[in-house]
Amino acid sequence: MTVTKTRTARSTWRPRLVAVVAVAVVNALVALAGPLIGADMVVTSPGQEPAPIDWPAFAIFSAGFALLGWAALLLVQRVLGADRGRLVWTIVAVLITVLMFLPPLAVSASTATAIVLELSHLVVAAIVIPVFWRTAGD
């Protein structure tokens, strides 16, 4: 007797939704903890006035980019199939994570603030990539 395991839409959306919420919450906490390590949470883009970055922005942008990643995964799996789609999505997600280390270096910010910004990118990658990869198989 052979037992086959099928993945339903329900079994994939719940962990992905939890991952989206988790990155929003964890990055909000990272932003709130920033001042504890001396981060003033102010950045200055070239040619612009200094702008504070508050914790809701961390939560909103983290969740937004996680949702974009989810949509991209669904699209690439539809076009390339489950296994190839997962592989391509994972490679692109890792490359985007690496590239996301550049923008905080292009603005003027305290070292502690830059560390918080970089850490926020790692949080998204560390939560979203494994969860989406695991739920995208087969």
Side-chain angles (χ1 to χ4, degrees):
M1 179 166 152
T2 304
V3 178
T4 59
K5 181 179 165 184
T6 59
R7 191 175 299 270
T8 64
R10 171 178 268 182
S11 68
T12 61
W13 74 263
R14 281 186 178 158
R16 292 177 188 175
L17 182 60
V18 169
V20 170
V21 172
V23 297
V25 170
V26 172
N27 271 340
L29 293 173
V30 165
L32 288 169
L36 297 176
I37 64 165
D40 60 7
M41 303 309 292
V42 174
V43 297
T44 306
S45 295
Q48 296 186 358
E49 294 293 318
I53 305 173
D54 57 1
W55 67 268
F58 275 75
I60 291 166
F61 280 99
S62 298
F65 282 107
L67 288 170
L68 282 173
W70 188 349
L73 175 60
L74 293 174
L75 178 66
V76 75
Q77 283 191 299
R78 178 161 294 215
V79 172
L80 300 176
D83 290 336
R84 280 195 178 137
R86 176 172 63 174
L87 175 63
V88 168
W89 181 88
T90 303
I91 292 168
V92 171
V94 170
L95 289 174
I96 288 172
T97 300
V98 171
L99 290 174
M100 289 311 297
F101 283 107
L102 298 176
L105 301 175
V107 297
S108 178
S110 69
T111 301
T113 299
I115 290 170
V116 170
L117 292 170
E118 300 291 13
L119 180 61
S120 71
H121 295 126
L122 285 177
V123 165
V124 174
I127 294 172
V128 168
I129 293 173
V131 171
F132 286 14
W133 183 85
R134 188 175 60 248
T135 59
D138 307 333

